[in-house]
Amino acid sequence: MTSHITDAPAVALPDVAAARLPQERRVVTEIPGPRSRELQARRAAAVPPGVGSVLPVYVTDAGGGVVVDADGNSLIDFGSGIAVTSVGNANPRVAERVRAQAERFTHTCFMVTPYESYVAVCEALNRLTPGDHDKRSFLVNSGAEAVENAVKIARYATGRQAVVVFDHGYHGRTLLTMTLTAKNMPYKQGFGPYAPEVYRMPLAYPYRWPTGPENCGPEAAAQVADQISAQIGASNVAAVVIEPIQGEGGFIVPAPGFLPALAEFCRANGILLIADEVQTGFARTGAMFACEHEGVVPDLVTTAKGIAGGLPLAGVTGRAEIMDRVHGGGLGGTFGGNPLACEAALAVLEEIETGGLVDRARRIGEIMLPRLRAQAARHDVVGDVRGRGAMLAIELVKGGGSTEPDPVLTAEIARRCHAAGLLVLTCGTYGNVLRFLPPLVIPEHLLREGLDILERAFDG
Ligand SMILES: *Cc1c(COP(=O)(O)O)cnc(C)c1O
C-alpha cells in the first residue's frame, strides 16, 4: 500500500486508556457468519423488514474501536452506531454511572418527581452549546422528538407557522420530522399525508453547485433569502431548521459563508434559527458543536446521538426568553431525561472534556483526510472528499468526467469493506456516499488499518 507516502506523519493520536476488548481486527468466518445468519433467520419471523440493518452481524460485545459478533469476528468500527458511541461502546465511566444509578432508581418521571442529574445535563447543555446568552434546556428521548419540540417552541414563541428546511436535510422519522426530511425513499414513500407549512430551500452544496464551489455560499444564501421572501413571506416563517453539516443527506458541508448569511437573514426577519446538531454535536466534527466552525450562534439547538454513549437521550436548548414562553406542562414526556440516560450523559461529557476528545476528533480528520484525498487522486470515481473532524465522507460518481452518482459502486465498496472486517456506512440522497464516523477513542493503528482496507476495497 502507498499509505506511508500519503500519511501525514506529524499527526499522531495519543493512546487512550486500555480498552477491555482486544483492539484488533479479526475475521474468522464469512461476514455475516453462520451464527449471525441463524439469528437473522429468526429475526425475519419476528421483526418486519421495514426495519433494516446495514450489516446483519449480531453483536455480542463492543468497545474502543471494535465491534465483536456472535461468530467471534472483531470488526473495526467506522460507524459508532451512527455517531453515537463517540466515547467508545460500554465506556467504563458510562457503564459505572449507569450501573450505580440502576441500583438506586431507574425512573420517577421528571414531570412527577424530579432528580438532580436531569438538571445537571441541562446546565451542561446550556454551558456547552454555542453562544454565551442565557439558555434553557429540556430532555426528550430521540433526535426526532428534539427537532419536533424545537419547532413547537419556535411556533409558540413567534406566533408564526411556516418552517423552512433544505434539500438533502434529514431530521427524523416522525410525522413532522419525516416531512422536514428531504429524501423520499425510504423515509417518506407511502407514509403521507405530510405535515403542513414546511418549505424546502436549496442547500449550498459545493460539489454540485452549478456555477462552481467558489460561488456556492453567497449564491445559495441569496436564493434562499429570495425564495423565502417571494414564496412564503419572511414574516410568516417561525423557524429555519438546518444541520450545520448534513448527516444522512450526504455529509454535505455547506459552502463557507452560507450559514452565517442564513443566520443574518433570520435575525433580520425575526425568524428563529434551529441548528439540528443531532449528528454533528459533542466533539464529532472537531468542535463541541459544528456551528462553531463558522461562528454561528443559533436560537435553538437540538442534540441527541452522541450525548449519552448510546442510552436514549436528546435535548432542546434555546434562548431563555424563547424557551420560557411556553406554558407550564406544555413540554415533556414520560421517559424524557431518564435517570440512567442522564447519568450516561454526564459521564460522556466528562470523557469529552477531560479526555480532550474535541482535539482528538480534529486529529482523526487530519489523519483520514489526506488518505481519502489520495484515494480521490487515484480513482476518478471519487468525486468529492469532505467533512470535518471525525465526520468524513467520500462521494462516488461514475467517473470519466461524469459526476452522475454511483450508488451501485458505493454499495459494492461498502460490501468489500464489511467482508474484510471494516464496518462502514453509506448515506446521501442518491445513496452514493461512504461515510466515516469512527469512535473518537479509536486507537490509531485501527484507524490506519481501516483506511488500508478501504483503499484495497477500491482496488477490487
Ligand atoms: C439521526 C438524526 C435525527 C433523528 O434522530 P433519532 O434519534 O433517530 O430520532 C435528526 N436529525 C439529525 C441531523 C440526525 O442525524
Side-chain angles (χ1 to χ4, degrees), residues 82 141-145 147 170-173 243 245 247-248 276-280 302 304-305:
I82 319 186
N141 301 294
S142 70
E145 202 184 347
V147 173
Y170 181 87
H171 301 288
R173 293 174 181 267
E243 300 155 90
I245 299 176
E248 300 298 311
D276 182 353
E277 291 250 17
V278 165
Q279 192 156 162
T280 48
T302 55
K305 291 191 165 82

Side-chain angles (χ1 to χ4, degrees), residues 48-401:
V51 183
S53 291
V54 171
L55 176 58
V57 297
Y58 282 72
V59 175
T60 54
D61 217 335
V66 296
V67 171
V68 176
D69 75 13
D71 292 287
N73 299 298
S74 173
L75 312 181
I76 299 176
D77 184 9
F78 272 16
S80 301
I82 319 186
V84 169
T85 53
S86 298
V87 299
N89 224 307
N91 175 289
R93 204 188 292 241
V94 171
E96 174 49 31
R97 283 186 82 139
V98 170
R99 188 198 59 73
Q101 179 61 44
E103 289 172 355
R104 288 195 300 273
F105 64 96
T106 50
H107 175 82
T108 61
C109 186
F110 191 76
M111 300 185 306
V112 177
T113 47
Y115 38 90
E116 182 177 351
S117 57
Y118 184 117
V119 178
V121 172
C122 292
E123 287 168 347
L125 288 171
N126 296 344
R127 173 171 62 83
L128 294 169
T129 49
D132 51 15
H133 50 278
D134 198 16
K135 296 175 205 154
R136 303 283 186 269
S137 293
F138 74 102
L139 304 175
V140 290
N141 301 294
S142 70
E145 202 184 347
V147 173
E148 187 116 18
N149 273 283
V151 170
K152 280 164 64 174
I153 294 163
R155 285 177 166 161
Y156 194 105
T158 59
R160 305 174 179 183
Q161 294 187 350
V163 178
V164 167
V165 290
F166 292 86
D167 289 341
H168 313 289
Y170 181 87
H171 301 288
R173 293 174 181 267
T174 59
L175 174 57
L176 177 61
T177 59
M178 93 171 151
T179 307
L180 302 179
T181 291
K183 190 176 175 178
N184 181 51
M185 270 302 277
Y187 305 121
K188 304 169 86 161
Q189 176 62 36
F191 296 147
Y194 309 106
E197 288 300 320
V198 173
Y199 301 87
R200 193 168 308 284
M201 295 289 149
L203 181 94
Y205 185 171
Y207 176 62
R208 295 193 177 277
W209 196 253
T211 58
E214 58 291 341
N215 301 317
C216 178
E219 282 184 15
Q223 282 185 18
V224 170
D226 179 61
Q227 290 188 26
I228 289 178
S229 306
Q231 297 177 18
I232 317 169
S235 64
N236 297 315
V237 178
V240 165
V241 186
I242 191 162
E243 300 155 90
I245 299 176
Q246 289 187 318
E248 300 298 311
F251 279 29
I252 302 164
V253 184
F258 180 71
L259 291 174
L262 195 63
E264 184 45 44
F265 177 80
C266 288
R267 205 165 18 250
N269 290 283
I271 299 168
L272 300 181
L273 180 65
I274 301 175
D276 182 353
E277 291 250 17
V278 165
Q279 192 156 162
T280 48
F282 304 107
R284 175 54 57 186
T285 68
M288 191 58 90
F289 290 96
C291 280
E292 294 167 32
H293 294 293
E294 287 210 82
V296 167
V297 177
D299 300 298
L300 293 148
V301 180
T302 55
T303 52
K305 291 191 165 82
I307 192 175
L311 276 85
L313 187 71
V316 182
T317 302
R319 293 183 186 280
E321 65 273 20
I322 295 167
M323 301 288 283
D324 285 347
R325 290 274 183 86
V326 178
H327 51 272
L331 305 171
T334 306
F335 291 123
N338 169 273
L340 304 176
C342 286
E343 288 293 329
L346 294 172
V348 164
L349 294 171
E350 259 174 59
E351 287 282 311
I352 291 174
E353 293 192 276
T354 64
L357 293 188
V358 172
D359 187 50
R360 198 172 168 93
R362 200 175 42 68
R363 288 185 191 218
I364 287 172
E366 286 167 5
I367 290 171
M368 292 187 77
L369 268 176
R371 294 277 298 266
L372 299 176
R373 291 201 177 112
Q375 281 300 93
R378 274 198 293 275
H379 302 278
D380 69 353
V381 293
V382 179
D384 195 23
V385 173
R386 57 181 178 247
R388 291 190 199 272
M391 182 174 182
L392 300 172
I394 55 183
E395 175 163 353
L396 300 186
V397 296
K398 300 280 190 207

